[in-house]
Each structure stands twice: as C-alpha cells, then as structure tokens.
Amino acid sequence: MYYVGLDIGSSSIKIALVDVETGKSLGVIQEPETEMSMFASKNGWAEQKPEDWWEYVCKGIRRIKKKYNVSRKQIKGVGISYQMHGLVVLDKEGNPLRKSIIWCDSRAVSIGNRAFNEIGEDKCAQYLLNSPANFTASKLKWVKENEPDIYKKVYKFMLPGDYIAYKFSNIMNTTISGLSEGILWDFKKDSVADFLLKYYGVYSHLVPDIVDTFSNQSQVNAQGEKESGLAAGTPIFYRAGDQPNNALSLNVLNPGEVAATGGTSGVVYAVTNSLSGKESSRVNNFAHVNYKKGEDPRIGKLLCINGAGIQYRWLLNNLAVSSYEEMNILASEISVGSDGVCVIPFGNGAERMLNNKEIGTRVVNLNLNNHTKAHICRATLEGIAFSFVYGMNILKSDGINVNVIRAGNDNLFRSEIFANTIATLIEHEIEIYNTTGAIGAARAADLHLGDFKKFSNSILDNDYVMTFTPFKDKELYIQAYANWKQELELITNK
C-alpha cells in the first residue's frame, strides 16, 4: 500500500510514491518534463493558471501508477506540498476567476508596506509576526483595488495547495499554517487576522474552512477519481507550503531544529516556540506544520538568502572550468580564508536579511600577481557559507537556539568546504539527508495517525547520508569570517 505525495512548484509538479509501512520511496516523477509556463504581462508580475497545476497533477499520478504498476486501490492517502504565498480566487461554482498571482509576483509590495506603516509596525510584529508585505492577503487587496468586477464574484480565496485539494474533493478548506504564510493568522488571538481583513476591506467569509494540517481533510470524489485516477474516497491527509514541508521532510519539527537548503537561493528555516517578531523586517515567521491552537506554539522562522547557489553557478559559467567538481577541487587547494580574498555573494537582487539592500556581488582584496581562479572558487564557497552564518546569527538574535541542522543532499551541501565552514562557525553538526519535498509530503500523509516516531525513523532509515562535524581547530575560520563580515559592513553601512 502507498501514499502519493505532490509538490506543486512554480517550475514543475513532482509526484512521489512511498510505502505506507516503511516510508521507502518507490520513485519521483516530474510533470511537465520541461518547465511550466509563467505569465508576466508587466514587469514584476508572475502568474500561472491553477488549471495547469491540476492537469499536470493528474498526468503525473497516471504516469507514476503506470511506471510502478500501482493500482488506484493501492493508494491510501495523499499529501500535498505547494509553492507558498500564491493567491487563487474561486467563484461559487469553484472556477478560478483569474490566473493565480504566485509567490514571485511583486505587484502588492506597496500595498503591504502601506499596511505595515498604517496598522503599525509593533502591532504587525506582535499579532502577525510579520509585515503584511507582498503576501497573499496583500495580493487579494490588489485584486479588490484593481479588478473590482472579478473581486465581487469571489466566493473563496485559496493558496495553491488548497486549490489542488479542492479539485480532488470539491471541498474548499485551508490550514492555519497556510493562512499564516498568507499573513492571515493572528497569533495573539489564535484566530484569523480579522483586523487585517478589516483594514483591507475583505469579508471574513471569503476565508475557507480550517482543517488540521495532519487530518482527514477531505476525500477524492467521483469527479476527482475520473480526472486524477485516484479512487473515490481516497483521503487528503496533509497539506503545507514548500518551506515548512521541506523542514518536515528533514524531520525538523521541534525548537532548536533547523533545516537548510543550498539551492539557487539559500533558506534557513528554524523552529521555535517563541512568538518573537523582533526581526520581522528581515525574517518571516509562520505557523509550522505542527502548530496547534492553544498549545505550546511551533513557529517556523524563515530566512532567505538570494545570493547562494546562483553565485557558484555564475562562476561555473564564466570561469575556465568544466564542472562543479573541478571548482571544488581547485578550492580545496587553497587554505582557509582564501589568502584574504573575500567574495560578497549578493548579486541576485535585494537581500531581505540586509534590510532589502541591493549591493551586488563584490570580490575584494584580489591580488593580480598572486591570486588565481582557485582562490576565487574557495572565496566564493566561503562567502556563501559566511552569508548562511550571518543569517543564522540574525535568527539567534530573534530567540533561536540551534541544536541541530539538517540539510538536503543538494547543490552547495555536497561541498565539504561549504558545509564544514558553516558547521565549524556555528559549532553544530550538519546532518545530510537524501530526500525531496514530494517524498516528505507523501510520508506526512501517515502523520494523521500521530506517530511521529515512525515518521522520524522512516527518514533515518531511508535518507541519511552523512554528518559534517565542527572542526576543533577553528581559529582560521573565525578570522576569515571576521574579515568577510568587516568587508560586508563597510558596504552596508555606507
């Protein structure tokens, strides 16, 4: 018997099958095999058709069933991970009224900033743990202001994962975790943020019913069976945004546990029981997947680093090198600190953790007589690692205590220099796991039973790769980081 896991991304949909008893993955497939379409009729806009997500979900489920010879009756539940912060608006018949305004669309920035100022920074930090910023609530306000004919037909608004669950079941609902990522949850009152809805002039009845993250949220109906190939009655057991789901996929559920991702951009996602919004202008705070009303809170503090893997990829494309492996070998020939060469790796736009400053990538202290591309490779890996350490120190100042870091076996974390530098400077082990969001979502379908020990064991038994341990001799690392931080502060304090 199997669970199916869906990861609804903005570039593709990934579908996984895992064994119910062992949590072992049969495999993961992607739909489409090329990237999904994205619509941008104006600069800064980004939209997708929710119907396209559903089409690829259905194709993917049929493909993976056929590939592994699995029947619809063998699939016992569904888990859904999805791109965060998107907006889907439906009419009373459940039809999308417009394309979805997705996470990377920036049209509502000014609306969110105005709300932050007029409601008050302190109130937003204390009640929402965030600025309304460019999140789902602000995007809905944009529709109300700019597309009134569409807005007046809105019956419910949803996040992308809510829409996919609806298409399976014809039931409209959402989760606390989902509402919090749209900045629609009041953590002080433990309820929908009515004061923000009132400020935006949005009726609370547009909010879908709320279900638990791990629960029998709805079941596939006859139409869902016809379109998806899953049997009618199959339960949707789990739903979460991609970053909380990535943390769950790495067994990051309790205070002191941190999930890190080193892809094109970097993410540090730390779980705490603190409702501190001290760094709400630099860190986002969401109800984690295991947040429950009236209980000791589980908050996911999310810090994004735009300039991460994209910086190393730029080097690959522009240095006389053939592969990341060659770059890593070159870097390993240079000692810690790169002989004074520093790379400030923030060339991928404004950095939220630097108070939205756009400082670009900078290479400093380069000596044209002594330094080579090997120094650049080492300094770049160190610079990206230092940016992770810098971000973690911001999280620590906001109440995070780090006990363990877990990371996926992807991109940057395959580099020993990168991982060892972080582990040594933060003085904590980094555990590496070979898993994906779709596999995590499939396994999470089993958590409606509440057996978190079984869930944890399924990750340890199936995904564990290795652990990076802090070096005892760390003085060179401390000095190199101090040099890098000094160069960064010379730029940011101008």
Side-chain angles (χ1 to χ4, degrees):
M1 299 302 170
Y2 305 100
Y3 291 128
V4 64
L6 308 174
D7 188 1
I8 315 299
S10 50
S11 58
S12 67
I13 310 294
K14 294 182 176 66
I15 301 97
L17 276 176
V18 304
D19 184 271
V20 168
E21 287 305 313
T22 66
K24 184 176 177 61
S25 170
L26 267 71
V28 180
I29 65 166
Q30 174 179 305
E31 280 286 347
E33 294 183 18
T34 55
E35 286 199 2
M36 280 194 294
S37 299
M38 193 178 296
F39 303 91
S41 57
K42 293 185 181 180
N43 289 339
W45 289 22
E47 300 179 343
Q48 289 183 318
K49 292 181 179 179
E51 300 93 331
D52 288 349
W53 304 332
W54 176 241
E55 177 187 346
Y56 292 127
V57 164
C58 295
K59 283 183 178 179
I61 289 172
R62 293 180 185 279
R63 265 185 63 206
I64 204 165
K65 282 169 53 190
K66 183 176 181 180
K67 182 174 182 178
Y68 295 102
N69 194 28
V70 171
S71 74
R72 66 183 64 196
K73 290 185 179 179
Q74 287 177 280
I75 296 175
K76 296 302 179 183
V78 180
I80 302 171
S81 168
Y82 58 88
Q83 49 174 301
M84 298 171 74
H85 317 311
L87 172 69
V88 180
V89 286
L90 303 183
D91 64 17
K92 206 161 192 175
E93 285 69 47
N95 300 309
L97 289 162
R98 66 175 328 281
K99 297 182 186 76
S100 172
I101 303 174
I102 66 171
W103 65 275
C104 52
D105 184 297
S106 59
R107 75 185 70 184
V109 169
S110 61
I111 290 173
N113 289 344
R114 187 166 63 246
F116 193 43
N117 292 327
E118 293 184 359
I119 293 172
E121 295 185 14
D122 288 344
K123 183 166 185 177
C124 288
Q126 290 178 31
Y127 288 78
L128 303 173
L129 308 186
N130 297 281
S131 161
N134 186 43
F135 296 114
T136 310
S138 300
K139 290 168 180 170
L140 183 60
K141 172 64 171 174
W142 184 93
V143 173
K144 184 175 188 290
E145 286 186 351
N146 294 276
E147 298 174 343
D149 289 343
I150 288 176
Y151 180 80
K152 69 184 180 183
K153 297 176 185 175
V154 175
Y155 176 67
K156 298 290 181 186
F157 68 85
M158 292 183 158
L159 295 147
D162 300 332
Y163 174 76
I164 296 302
Y166 162 73
K167 290 296 289 182
F168 278 121
S169 63
N170 201 40
I171 293 174
M172 299 181 188
N173 54 35
T174 190
T175 64
I176 291 175
S177 180
L179 289 174
S180 79
E181 72 184 60
I183 318 302
L184 287 154
W185 191 253
D186 183 332
F187 287 92
K188 282 272 191 182
K189 295 185 176 180
D190 236 355
S191 64
V192 174
D194 289 329
F195 74 91
L196 181 63
L197 293 178
K198 184 177 180 180
Y199 171 83
Y200 277 159
V202 172
Y203 292 120
S204 59
H205 65 71
L206 301 185
V207 180
D209 292 338
I210 299 171
V211 292
D212 287 340
T213 299
F214 307 112
S215 66
N216 192 333
Q217 299 173 351
S218 58
Q219 301 82 38
V220 176
N221 70 350
Q223 186 64 26
E225 176 179 38
K226 181 179 176 182
E227 295 180 17
S228 72
L230 295 184
T234 303
I236 290 85
F237 278 136
Y238 165 78
R239 192 182 325 168
D242 51 13
Q243 293 303 332
N245 179 73
N246 286 344
L248 169 126
S249 302
L250 292 164
N251 196 30
V252 168
L253 294 164
N254 300 305
E257 296 172 349
V258 178
T261 305
T264 300
S265 58
V267 170
V268 180
Y269 185 99
V271 178
T272 179
N273 58 1
S274 167
L275 293 177
S276 168
K278 175 186 171 186
E279 294 286 358
S280 61
S281 64
R282 298 198 286 177
V283 175
N284 295 128
N285 300 274
F286 305 120
H288 194 33
V289 292
N290 52 348
Y291 180 99
K292 283 186 175 292
K293 288 178 66 172
E295 295 186 7
D296 189 31
R298 292 292 180 268
I299 303 297
K301 289 186 175 290
L302 189 155
L303 181 135
C304 185
I305 305 159
N306 281 344
I310 191 171
Q311 178 71 62
Y312 212 41
R313 187 172 70 207
W314 186 91
L315 277 190
L316 175 66
N317 294 336
N318 291 280
L319 280 184
V321 290
S322 60
S323 66
Y324 288 121
E325 183 180 5
E326 181 185 351
M327 291 166 65
N328 290 342
I329 291 170
L330 285 169
S332 68
E333 296 169 356
I334 306 301
S335 61
V336 176
S338 307
D339 192 26
V341 179
C342 284
V343 172
I344 309 296
F346 299 122
N348 193 30
E351 287 287 346
R352 181 171 167 82
M353 74 172 183
L354 301 179
N355 292 311
N356 290 315
K357 290 185 178 180
E358 189 165 348
I359 63 174
T361 286
R362 314 222 182 169
V363 182
V364 298
N365 304 329
L366 190 66
N367 185 302
L368 301 179
N369 296 309
N370 300 327
H371 294 142
T372 67
K373 62 184 177 183
H375 290 86
I376 298 292
C377 290
R378 174 101 198 189
T380 300
L381 282 173
E382 288 183 336
I384 302 167
F386 294 155
S387 70
F388 272 70
V389 174
Y390 187 86
M392 286 184 182
N393 286 333
I394 292 172
L395 290 171
K396 287 180 180 179
S397 75
D398 202 17
I400 287 292
N401 295 310
V402 180
N403 296 328
V404 66
I405 297 177
R406 300 188 177 108
N409 187 28
D410 59 358
N411 302 354
L412 290 167
F413 281 98
R414 290 178 177 171
S415 162
E416 291 186 11
I417 291 171
F418 175 79
N420 283 329
T421 298
I422 296 175
T424 300
L425 284 169
I426 63 170
E427 300 180 302
H428 287 284
E429 293 181 343
I430 299 178
E431 299 173 2
I432 305 297
Y433 294 85
N434 193 18
T435 188
T436 70
I439 293 171
R443 288 179 180 150
D446 201 52
L447 284 172
H448 73 284
L449 299 171
D451 192 343
F452 282 85
K453 184 176 181 180
K454 177 186 174 185
F455 176 82
S456 175
N457 287 338
S458 72
I459 295 171
L460 290 168
D461 293 345
N462 294 299
D463 302 340
Y464 176 75
V465 178
M466 64 179 296
T467 296
F468 289 99
T469 303
F471 294 146
K472 292 181 180 178
D473 186 3
K474 59 185 179 181
E475 290 308 312
L476 290 176
Y477 289 90
I478 292 171
Q479 186 58 54
Y481 176 63
N483 291 342
W484 179 89
K485 187 178 177 185
Q486 182 179 33
E487 296 292 350
L488 175 64
E489 289 174 348
L490 285 173
I491 299 164
T492 55
N493 291 336
K494 284 182 180 177

